[in-house]
Amino acid sequence: MGTSGNTAARAGDSPALERLARVGLIAYGIVHLLIAWLSLQLAWGGGGGSADQSGAMATLAEEPLGKALLWVLVVGLVALAVWQLAEVLRHRAGLQASGDARKDAVEKIVKAVAKTVVYLFLAVTALRFATGGGSSSSGQQQSTVAGVFGWPGGRFLVGLAALVVIGVGVHHVRKGLTGHFMKEIDTAQATSGQRRAIERLGQVGYPAKGVALALVGGLLGWAAITFDPAKASGLDGAMRTLLDAPFGKVLLTVVALGIAAFGAFCFARARFPQRT
């Protein structure tokens, strides 16, 4: 491994960065718990907030000390992004290998980059609400899709993005059903009861999140097919689509509880972290 790889390894193993990353994992869990709560309110007619990341941040901003908590979320989520960027540099040397070693490096780098993007997106969202400039992420997504439609091949790009999001959703479902998520958490110091609880949370949480992501991708794909950016209504739109389905209240409630389980799993990862 080169000098940059060694530097990244030292940065990624920094105790200070790990403590901040733990804060970020807790923040990530809180966001999912708030989304779950907003989804339950949507299912049972108790609220009109957006059941997505922007709705979660808006809910937090309205609470006492909410702005201060949002700043904590920003710091923690940025630390999580840096933690993942260190993984990109750590595995960069593996790209020079061949066979399974190179394939493993590529897979880890792609996952680390994807997580970095997600954490930075959430950090920016939290920053906007912390500074009083937050707005609906559904509206932002629709504006973005409308802009992409104006590019050469824009409709194709939106459709491709839809397939990627659906693929990520399917991956989450598969991850939950196979239990592969346990590789992301170091439970060596956990009791047997804690390990069972963590495993159950992941088995419920990952498939629920996967279903929600697949629905988001489906709406994005429908926007590409109909050439209508208004159809790309994001996570809030996915939840409302689920609510409109037969037995919608029950289905949305199940997904919401699953997302809450994923949030609790994030807390477990903060207690027993492992980068990849």
Side-chain angles (χ1 to χ4, degrees):
M1 183 180 292
T3 302
S4 62
N6 291 327
T7 301
R10 289 194 297 272
D13 291 332
S14 164
L17 181 58
E18 182 174 325
R19 283 192 289 271
L20 284 174
R22 287 174 187 259
V23 174
L25 286 167
I26 292 172
Y28 198 46
I30 289 173
V31 170
H32 283 82
L33 288 180
L34 288 172
I35 291 173
W37 172 243
L38 290 169
S39 298
L40 287 173
Q41 288 185 314
L42 177 63
W44 299 101
S50 296
D52 57 11
Q53 297 89 343
S54 63
M57 301 299 182
T59 299
L60 193 58
E62 294 170 357
E63 297 300 316
L65 300 178
K67 294 292 180 66
L69 289 174
L70 282 169
W71 280 108
V72 173
L73 261 65
V74 171
V75 173
L77 289 166
V78 169
L80 270 180
V82 173
W83 208 29
Q84 291 300 321
L85 279 176
E87 281 298 287
V88 174
L89 296 178
R90 182 191 297 270
H91 294 290
R92 189 176 63 177
L95 296 176
Q96 306 303 319
S98 59
D100 290 341
R102 186 173 188 276
K103 180 180 177 182
D104 183 61
V106 170
E107 182 179 343
K108 288 181 177 179
I109 287 173
V110 170
K111 287 182 178 179
V113 170
K115 289 180 181 180
T116 299
V117 172
V118 170
Y119 296 146
L120 286 178
F121 169 77
L122 289 175
V124 170
T125 302
L127 179 61
R128 286 173 175 166
F129 279 94
T131 56
S135 60
S136 169
S137 58
S138 294
Q140 292 173 1
Q141 179 167 312
Q142 290 167 354
S143 298
T144 300
V145 170
V148 173
F149 276 158
W151 299 353
R155 196 171 185 178
F156 169 78
L157 291 174
V158 172
L160 183 61
L163 291 176
V164 171
V165 175
I166 291 171
V168 172
V170 172
H171 174 70
H172 272 68
V173 173
R174 181 176 178 275
K175 198 173 184 179
L177 295 178
T178 60
H180 286 176
F181 57 85
M182 291 300 289
K183 295 179 181 179
E184 298 180 351
I185 186 167
D186 183 3
T187 57
Q189 303 301 317
T191 65
S192 58
Q194 287 174 325
R195 282 193 292 272
R196 283 195 299 272
I198 291 169
E199 188 170 8
R200 296 296 178 270
L201 288 172
Q203 287 173 332
V204 173
Y206 272 96
K209 184 173 181 180
V211 168
L213 287 172
L215 285 171
V216 171
L219 291 174
L220 193 57
W222 187 238
I225 292 171
T226 60
F227 205 61
D228 182 2
K231 298 292 194 300
S233 49
L235 182 58
D236 181 62
M239 295 304 189
R240 294 177 188 276
T241 298
L242 196 60
L243 181 61
D244 290 338
F247 306 103
K249 285 189 175 183
V250 174
L251 291 174
L252 183 53
T253 299
V254 170
V255 170
L257 292 176
I259 291 175
F262 184 87
F265 177 80
C266 292
F267 295 158
R269 284 198 65 197
R271 173 65 179 85
F272 305 105
Q274 181 173 320
R275 185 173 299 101
T276 56

